[in-house]
Amino acid sequence: MKRIIAFLMAFLVFAAQGAAECACPDAEEHARRQAIVDRVLAGYETMGASVAVISHGQVVDTFVYGRANRADNTPVTEETYFKIASVTKMISALGVMRLVENHTMELDADISDYLPYTVRNPYYPDTPITLRQIMTHTATLADGYHYKEATDYGRITPLSIVFEGNYRKQNFIAKQPGTVSDYSNFGGGMLGVFMEELSGMPVDEYMQTYIFQPLGVTAAYHTPNLPADAQIARIYNTETTGMTLDMMDSDETHWFAEPELDYVHTAGGLMCTAEGLARLLICIIGDGTYNGARILRPETVEAMRTMQNNVGSVACDSNRGLNMNILTDELVPGRTMYGHQGKAYGMIAAAYGDPTDQTGVVMITNGCNASTFNSVARIARALLSAIYEGWLDEPQAYRLAQPAPTPELGPAPTAAPPLPSEPVPASTPAPTEEPLPEFEGDLIIRPADWLFEEDNSSEWTESETDELPAAVF
């Protein structure tokens, strides 16, 4: 406990550092742009939202809208924290790619080599499952019985049982790993397992140490790891007008690494501000740095942005990067955008940027019309298009000061450096048998910290149209 408290105090010091200085628009121009943002968000019945704009690799503008808490009419501010749903996967991937960069993991190695149990699709027991497959949703992991027990009811089965027990078939689809793309939240949750297993640190501490703290970002997978006075937006389903999630009431702690049990957090559990998420996006669409601080090497983030079609252990068209969507003309006409979308409980989050001119937009809502077309949220398409067409496409939309110098790049790592860790309690009992689905008495029970539903569909139905609400324009 003392180690975590000391760490968070140091972390908040870093969070106070400012972004690179820039000459943002005057008040009149900012008001005009705010009106454009408001019009789009109102057209999609948004409860509350925070938006951050990136230009030339800097966070240059922010916009807020609506309410973080409807009950007491609390407005959204720039300091409001939001659940970002599946955008979490892309951010968690930064931590895993540090393991790859330092040769602690290899993208095409058998993940069983890094775990104290064997992971195999029982339909294809001779085919190894790799990290590249996990990060491209081609590992054939399904959000089956054990994963739903964990996310829906808080009943966490140790992974040694999940992967080696009698019911392991329920956690896979009947396809050979690497040959088909099938979206998997379970795979996103495994990212945290790798970080905890190989570092001995809880995922919050690992990500804060190596990813968040160097950038001055405050973010966490568990509410107690945010500042005590943090305002976290409640999430609403605007179609039913009901609140679906209140993370302010969450008191789940996570002080120790438990890789056998921690396989849900990194799929969709991260909370952060729009400005903090924009700093992370800048590293992804750039060279791994933000405002002079480096978290990854240029070749590492470039690998994340590379389309993983028939690459390495992926023997199919995954049509994505490493935990990253790559959308050409889908969000902004004439641009290829790199990033990720999140959709859960009635909210939408989106973080996308264009590496060619280092521009991008982060949007996080706490409830809106969450309809999609070709799996892309209509509100994200409308907002990004409005911002780019409204002003961001113009090279002189923002007059920027000289950015912080990029740190010198040292030689590429040749061996994994030691990761700071300390002994942790052996809190996971050794499993002896597989529990039956109708009786979970042997399961380890704890409250679920998030209920997660992701729009996994890759097709659209005839009932869907690409028309936008009239109020948008």
Side-chain angles (χ1 to χ4, degrees):
M1 174 68 77
K2 291 181 179 178
R3 181 172 69 141
I4 296 295
I5 292 174
F7 174 80
L8 289 177
M9 292 178 63
F11 176 67
L12 292 176
V13 172
F14 272 90
Q17 73 182 36
E21 293 183 4
C22 66
C24 293
D26 57 37
E28 182 178 352
E29 176 62 15
H30 182 83
R32 182 188 76 84
R33 296 175 181 183
Q34 177 77 61
I36 293 173
V37 171
D38 290 352
R39 197 157 55 242
V40 174
L41 296 175
Y44 284 89
E45 303 173 312
T46 304
M47 177 64 66
S50 186
V51 177
V53 178
I54 297 166
S55 181
H56 295 86
Q58 299 180 44
V59 183
V60 293
D61 225 346
T62 56
F63 304 92
V64 295
Y65 174 90
R67 293 173 289 177
N69 181 346
R70 182 175 59 189
D72 57 14
N73 209 33
T74 303
V76 173
T77 71
E78 293 179 358
E79 288 75 40
T80 300
Y81 292 85
F82 289 80
K83 203 83 158 172
I84 64 172
S86 271
V87 181
T88 300
K89 296 180 177 70
M90 179 176 70
I91 303 307
S92 301
L94 295 171
V96 172
M97 289 304 289
R98 184 184 184 279
L99 298 174
V100 173
E101 181 173 278
N102 289 328
H103 301 282
T104 306
M105 292 191 77
E106 299 294 335
L107 284 170
D108 294 310
D110 186 344
I111 61 171
S112 300
D113 294 343
Y114 309 110
L115 302 169
Y117 42 81
T118 300
V119 182
R120 286 287 189 276
N121 183 328
Y123 298 100
Y124 292 88
D126 297 327
T127 303
I129 291 175
T130 70
L131 178 60
R132 191 188 302 275
Q133 293 166 359
I134 293 281
M135 298 181 76
T136 56
H137 299 279
T138 62
T140 65
L141 276 172
D143 299 339
Y145 169 71
H146 290 110
Y147 189 79
K148 290 185 180 297
E149 282 285 295
T151 59
D152 295 352
Y153 306 109
R155 295 194 279 261
I156 313 294
T157 305
L159 285 175
S160 53
I161 290 179
V162 172
F163 290 125
E164 297 183 337
N166 296 331
Y167 294 92
R168 59 188 179 276
K169 279 190 175 182
Q170 298 184 42
N171 303 304
F172 292 89
I173 62 173
K175 299 289 184 180
Q176 185 175 10
T179 65
V180 63
S181 179
D182 191 70
Y183 193 93
S184 172
N185 292 307
F186 193 1
M190 288 297 295
L191 301 177
V193 173
F194 300 136
M195 285 185 266
E196 292 197 347
E197 186 69 52
L198 296 173
S199 73
M201 304 164 69
V203 66
D204 271 304
E205 184 180 357
Y206 177 91
M207 289 292 291
Q208 286 169 350
T209 300
Y210 296 117
I211 305 300
F212 301 149
Q213 180 174 323
L215 307 181
V217 172
T218 305
Y221 298 90
H222 298 82
T223 301
N225 288 341
L226 290 174
D229 60 350
Q231 178 198 81
I232 309 173
R234 291 175 173 172
I235 300 178
Y236 299 86
N237 186 321
T238 56
E239 293 182 3
T240 64
T241 69
M243 185 179 69
T244 57
L245 189 67
D246 185 3
M247 290 305 299
M248 294 294 288
D249 289 339
S250 173
D251 60 356
E252 184 191 19
T253 57
H254 190 241
W255 306 131
F256 303 105
E258 297 180 299
E260 276 243 33
L261 307 177
D262 294 334
Y263 52 88
V264 296
H265 312 304
T266 53
L270 192 64
M271 294 165 283
C272 65
T273 65
E275 197 270 346
L277 183 54
R279 294 186 183 193
L280 294 158
L281 181 61
I282 287 168
C283 293
I284 291 169
I285 64 173
D287 63 354
T289 66
Y290 167 75
N291 200 25
R294 178 176 301 284
I295 58 171
L296 291 173
R297 296 175 64 86
E299 59 267 29
T300 304
V301 291
E302 185 178 355
M304 292 181 66
R305 299 195 305 262
T306 299
M307 187 73 80
Q308 300 293 304
N309 291 344
N310 295 287
V311 176
S313 53
V314 175
C316 65
D317 289 347
S318 73
N319 294 320
R320 53 171 49 90
L322 297 174
N323 281 122
M324 185 176 303
N325 298 329
I326 303 173
L327 304 177
T328 299
D329 293 327
E330 285 282 344
L331 283 169
V332 182
R335 287 181 180 266
T336 296
M337 305 294 287
Y338 297 76
H340 212 290
Q341 174 179 283
K343 180 178 184 289
Y345 325 105
M347 56 74 71
I348 292 289
Y352 284 94
D354 185 345
T356 60
D357 60 359
Q358 298 293 292
T359 59
V361 176
V362 166
M363 174 202 75
I364 320 175
T365 77
N366 66 335
C368 62
N369 177 339
S371 63
T372 61
F373 179 80
N374 283 353
S375 296
V376 177
R378 289 183 171 90
I379 186 174
R381 181 186 285 114
L383 184 66
L384 267 71
S385 294
I387 289 175
Y388 270 92
E389 294 172 7
W391 69 87
L392 195 53
D393 271 333
E394 295 295 327
Q396 303 304 317
Y398 295 96
R399 297 186 302 276
L400 306 180
Q402 186 67 26
T406 300
E408 292 185 9
L409 193 63
T414 56
L419 294 170
S421 62
E422 63 183 39
V424 298
S427 56
T428 304
T432 57
E433 61 180 284
E434 170 71 11
L436 297 175
E438 61 269 20
F439 175 66
E440 274 71 64
D442 292 333
L443 297 179
I444 294 175
I445 311 296
R446 67 181 183 188
D449 65 324
W450 57 283
L451 307 175
F452 184 69
E453 268 186 30
E454 173 67 25
D455 178 17
N456 301 341
S457 62
S458 58
E459 299 180 354
W460 54 281
T461 64
E462 294 182 357
S463 62
E464 291 184 299
T465 68
D466 202 22
E467 296 180 359
L468 302 176
V472 170
F473 297 111

